[in-house]
Amino acid sequence: MNKSSKKRRIIPGEIPTKNLHQYLLGSVSPRPIALVSTIDKDGNNNLAPYSFFNAFSSNPPIVVFSSNRKVTDNTTKDTLHNILQVKECVISAVSYDIMRQMVLSSVAFPSEISEFEKTGLTPSKSETVAVPGVVESPVNMECKVKEIITLGTHGGAGHLIVCEIQMMHVSEAVLDGDKIDPHKIDLIGRMGRTYYVRASGNAVFSQYQNIMDNPIGYENLPNIAKSSKILTGNDIGHLAALSTMPSAEEIINVSKDILSSSNIEQYCADLIANKKIHEALTILLAANNTKL
């Protein structure tokens, strides 16, 4: 995004909650989806998807999802009612293969109706909780509910359901050794409105950063890079992440033909795209010195 792009001011309380809700969903995305199964005190199954969901601790293993009050009528969902009765749930990951069934489970069926039956998804017997998981999901997390944190009483208010994982079941089909392969698990993420994203194929990329590094930082980049209209934020990030500056000899030896080019910033952007980041910074430093 261009630094000069005008931004709209959104102030909670000054716009309808339903509009603020959509701004939030469009901004905080893509979000992982928890397909949550619960039972009531009579043993009736419920299954519902939640995209206000994430992992927050590994030791103890904690995941949290929020069952929000409906914006339209301020009612709460069967998932919350069930967890208040039976403090257990199973959170199943949503792969692309069950995406449409997951969306169907979001329908507000009567409490006595099982979403397993409506969607065709298969309940799997759990080992540490009474609640079933989803057979077709690549990952099931059997959870005990530690805490329910109520955030408000108006429509749109959340109930944070803090879950401690007792056991995970991970399909061998999505594993690469002892790690989950993102291409094999083929997860779905939720975006704003009716939009979803498939986290596999060309959408998945790797970007390593050693957090123990001592990178040169943005402040040490030449002004030609900082003021560039060609170099993107990602280009700047690659340059700033380098751990060593080019030597004086490298800078002096930059070809005069390159320095005389009218498209030197684009030339360096192309080098960065081809992972020749040190070379790009060397040229930018030489060009900066030439302009001084």
Side-chain angles (χ1 to χ4, degrees):
M1 186 185 73
N2 190 301
K3 288 183 180 180
S4 63
S5 176
K6 184 178 179 181
K7 293 183 179 178
R8 182 178 301 186
R9 297 170 69 249
I10 307 297
I11 302 175
E14 294 188 3
I15 64 171
T17 300
K18 64 178 183 178
N19 294 359
L20 177 61
H21 182 69
Q22 289 304 327
Y23 281 118
L24 283 170
L25 297 190
S27 302
V28 185
S29 72
R31 300 180 304 284
I33 301 171
L35 188 54
V36 181
S37 43
T38 57
I39 58 171
D40 64 17
K41 59 182 175 55
D42 297 319
N44 296 310
N45 291 329
N46 181 266
L47 189 64
Y50 293 89
S51 65
F52 282 6
F53 163 64
N54 220 312
F56 291 90
S57 172
S58 301
N59 186 20
I62 300 293
V63 289
V64 179
F65 72 94
S66 180
S67 181
N68 287 18
R69 292 178 174 275
K70 294 180 183 178
V71 174
T72 52
D73 59 9
N74 199 23
T75 58
T76 53
K77 298 179 181 179
D78 289 340
T79 299
L80 179 62
H81 300 166
N82 290 353
I83 282 177
L84 288 169
Q85 295 175 23
V86 179
K87 292 184 169 54
E88 298 178 345
C89 66
V90 176
I91 295 176
S92 297
V94 179
S95 62
Y96 182 76
D97 286 345
I98 61 170
M99 180 271 298
R100 193 61 186 88
Q101 289 166 292
M102 173 274 295
V103 176
L104 180 58
S105 74
S106 67
V107 171
F109 296 111
S111 300
E112 65 274 12
I113 299 295
S114 168
E115 285 79 7
F116 282 102
E117 294 180 8
K118 287 293 185 180
T119 62
L121 291 169
T122 311
S124 61
K125 184 174 177 57
S126 298
E127 296 185 44
T128 64
V129 296
V131 181
V134 176
V135 168
E136 292 83 359
S137 168
V139 177
N140 307 117
M141 293 174 272
E142 299 179 8
C143 301
K144 298 280 190 182
V145 175
K146 290 177 63 70
E147 188 177 3
I148 301 172
I149 303 171
T150 298
L151 301 179
T153 57
H154 299 292
H159 297 83
L160 301 186
I161 300 173
V162 182
C163 307
E164 182 170 353
I165 299 172
Q166 308 298 302
M167 181 180 292
M168 293 181 69
H169 302 271
V170 182
S171 170
E172 293 285 352
V174 304
L175 291 174
D176 182 5
D178 61 352
K179 294 181 174 62
I180 292 176
D181 185 317
H183 300 284
K184 293 178 180 178
I185 196 169
D186 199 8
L187 293 176
I188 291 297
R190 182 75 194 273
M191 303 185 78
R193 297 186 293 168
T194 61
Y195 293 104
Y196 294 82
V197 63
R198 186 176 184 179
S200 65
N202 293 334
V204 176
F205 61 91
S206 175
Q207 180 60 65
Y208 176 73
Q209 174 65 57
N210 185 345
I211 62 172
M212 303 305 293
D213 263 352
N214 185 24
I216 63 174
Y218 173 82
E219 71 276 13
N220 290 313
L221 297 183
N223 288 332
I224 188 175
K226 293 178 181 179
S227 62
S228 175
K229 303 297 184 186
I230 303 290
L231 298 177
T232 66
N234 285 329
D235 293 334
I236 294 296
H238 282 302
L239 294 170
L242 287 171
S243 56
T244 57
M245 293 287 285
S247 67
E249 182 179 1
E250 288 177 304
I251 296 170
I252 291 170
N253 288 331
V254 172
S255 164
K256 287 184 172 55
D257 289 340
I258 293 175
L259 295 177
S260 63
S261 170
S262 60
N263 296 316
I264 195 165
E265 292 173 37
Q266 184 60 56
Y267 182 79
C268 290
D270 293 340
L271 286 175
I272 295 170
N274 286 292
K275 299 183 179 180
K276 297 179 179 179
I277 303 164
H278 185 89
E279 183 179 346
L281 180 57
T282 304
I283 293 170
L284 288 166
L285 285 165
N288 199 73
N289 290 343
T290 300
K291 289 186 175 182
L292 294 179

